[in-house]
Amino acid sequence: MRKAVLAVGLTGGHIYPAKALAEELQSQGWSLLFVARSESLLAEKLLADEGLPLVRLQVEGLTRSLPVALVRIVPFIYKQVCSLVTCLRVMWDWRPDCVVGFGSYVSFPVVLAAKMTGIPVVIYEPNSAMGLANAVLAPLADKVALSLHENRPLQSARWVDVVTPLRKSLKEDAALPGPEAKRSLGLRDDLPCVVIMGGSQGAAAVNLAAQEMIMGRAKQDKGFTFMHITGLSQYDQIRGAYARAGLLGPEGRVEPYWERMGVAYRAADLIIARAGAMTCLEILHFACRALLVPYVKSAEGHQLGNAKYLQRLGIAKILRQNQELALELESAIREMLTESPVAFVVGSKAVGVGAVSLGSVVRSVIKKV
């Protein structure tokens, strides 16, 4: 039986593509082991639900602020060394055929342990620009897989454009008709639907601006229904506000987390979200129109780069996070819901979709026995 170790970070941008790869490899008889930061509640939930084994590392990131970084450098190095020892034991005991890193500082000890024990390495980069961890580790990788390949670093056989790794549930729901998707969510099917996505960690500014916009129009005919996926931290507050305003039911729905995102994408006539890599790639796959509010503090400006990529394709508009965001959302929603539907071909190279799967890249680096 073939075996692979998948190293993931804290957020859905790391965990969801890894889970999609796991589903692809499991269907071919592979055994999988995940490595994640011990504080990753999302990894715990998703992997426990699937019965997938998980190794937890006590690691932390190193801040980009120089004075703080100097103070934190010693505990950072200590935890990385301890994690490297743990990962070396995993490689020696389990002997995987391949290690796949999905970015973040969690990948450092996993990839280093793989190289020290002669195990092939694949790195997956979903963003339009290479992240710091992947940029540092790329020279050690046998293959580097990219989805948004606009800024491909090198023309080399080691760098491969891949199809966006999508979870099985997303693929299953891709053909669901929009009206049916709306009805399955308990929403009216005769109005456009706006889906607001707070992200796996919650996005406070986006959540609150969207709530303010919807509450401000509570006594008016909004002209659309909504589904607001808040993340856990603000769910009770936002749901309570909508409930008191009588906005829940066929007009609106609130969830802290939603597993069947394919249904939400098919129901959506417009998405409001941050511009994380997997969010943008899923928007591309489902050909949704979107209002994107990039997180201004995302590493290396990834989210702004991702949002600009979708904006150049004509399917997204970028809004800046500021005090006027609620008003700007209202104006932009009105504008985008009256525009003609998005006309572009899902799967074309124009939207950064490769010809091969991430699983095929993994299989290509395995040493022949």
Side-chain angles (χ1 to χ4, degrees):
M1 175 184 291
R2 295 293 191 185
K3 296 182 287 186
V5 171
L6 311 182
V8 301
L10 280 172
T11 67
H14 301 120
I15 298 167
Y16 289 134
K19 189 170 182 289
L21 174 61
E23 291 172 348
E24 180 182 351
L25 295 178
Q26 280 183 311
S27 70
Q28 298 160 4
W30 285 57
S31 180
L32 286 309
L33 176 66
F34 281 76
V35 179
R37 181 176 170 179
S38 57
E39 293 86 353
S40 180
L41 299 179
L42 181 62
E44 292 275 1
K45 171 179 171 47
L46 289 178
L47 302 179
D49 289 349
E50 299 293 330
L52 293 166
L54 173 64
V55 173
R56 301 164 183 83
L57 297 182
Q58 292 287 341
V59 291
E60 63 181 39
L62 188 63
T63 178
R64 310 296 174 87
S65 173
L66 185 57
V68 179
L70 292 175
V71 173
R72 297 299 304 165
I73 189 67
V74 173
F76 170 79
I77 293 174
Y78 174 76
K79 289 184 178 182
Q80 286 286 333
V81 170
C82 291
S83 296
L84 176 60
V85 172
T86 298
C87 292
L88 283 169
R89 289 173 180 164
V90 169
M91 304 305 161
W92 287 327
D93 293 344
W94 206 56
R95 296 304 303 177
D97 295 283
C98 183
V99 164
V100 187
F102 288 84
S104 95
Y105 46 86
V106 177
S107 294
F108 280 106
V110 186
V111 169
L112 289 176
K115 298 308 293 184
M116 292 170 68
T117 52
I119 296 168
V121 170
V122 172
I123 287 173
Y124 175 63
E125 178 56 70
N127 288 286
S128 61
M130 185 73 69
L132 177 61
N134 278 346
V136 172
L137 294 172
L140 302 179
D142 296 89
K143 293 283 186 180
V144 179
L146 309 169
S147 282
L148 293 178
H149 68 287
E150 186 178 46
N151 296 322
R152 186 187 181 113
L154 294 172
Q155 294 299 322
S156 166
R158 287 197 314 116
W159 300 77
V160 184
D161 298 319
V162 297
V163 176
T164 301
L166 295 175
R167 289 160 285 155
K168 182 180 178 182
S169 62
L170 285 173
K171 296 177 182 177
E172 289 174 345
D173 294 326
L176 189 66
E180 184 178 336
K182 292 174 184 177
R183 290 193 296 271
S184 73
L185 295 174
L187 300 174
R188 292 174 56 175
D189 62 5
D190 60 335
L191 288 175
C193 177
V194 176
V195 174
I196 305 144
M197 296 162 51
S200 60
Q201 303 297 302
V206 175
N207 278 336
L208 295 178
Q211 177 194 339
E212 181 183 343
M213 178 270 297
I214 290 173
M215 296 286 289
R217 305 192 70 190
K219 297 180 180 180
Q220 307 174 33
D221 178 11
K222 296 186 299 299
F224 61 85
T225 63
F226 70 93
M227 180 177 186
H228 194 157
I229 306 168
T230 63
L232 291 172
S233 62
Q234 294 177 297
Y235 170 70
D236 291 335
Q237 169 193 345
I238 293 175
R239 189 186 189 285
Y242 287 145
R244 289 189 294 273
L247 293 174
L248 301 182
E251 305 293 333
R253 178 171 186 159
V254 185
E255 297 289 342
Y257 172 81
W258 190 248
E259 176 64 30
R260 296 296 296 276
M261 279 305 301
V263 176
Y265 282 122
R266 291 299 300 133
D269 294 279
L270 182 65
I271 299 283
I272 297 173
R274 290 294 197 192
M278 291 310 298
T279 296
C280 289
L281 287 168
E282 289 169 5
I283 287 171
L284 283 172
H285 182 83
F286 283 89
C288 297
R289 287 174 291 184
L291 293 172
L292 299 176
V293 187
Y295 181 49
V296 293
K297 295 183 180 180
S298 64
E300 290 87 38
H302 286 157
Q303 290 209 7
L304 181 57
N306 297 339
K308 286 181 176 178
Y309 188 93
L310 267 64
Q311 183 173 254
R312 283 192 289 273
L313 294 172
I315 68 169
K317 180 176 181 178
I318 298 174
L319 298 180
R320 302 287 178 159
Q321 182 175 317
N322 56 41
Q323 296 298 319
E324 304 300 319
L325 182 56
L327 292 175
E328 291 178 6
L329 280 173
E330 181 174 354
S331 174
I333 287 173
R334 188 183 304 112
E335 176 186 339
M336 293 196 76
L337 287 181
T338 57
E339 290 179 351
S340 299
V342 176
F344 85 169
V345 179
V346 176
S348 79
K349 293 293 287 184
V351 298
V353 178
V356 299
S357 71
L358 184 54
S360 68
V361 175
V362 170
R363 293 191 297 273
S364 73
V365 303
I366 292 175
K367 295 179 180 178
K368 300 297 186 293
V369 178

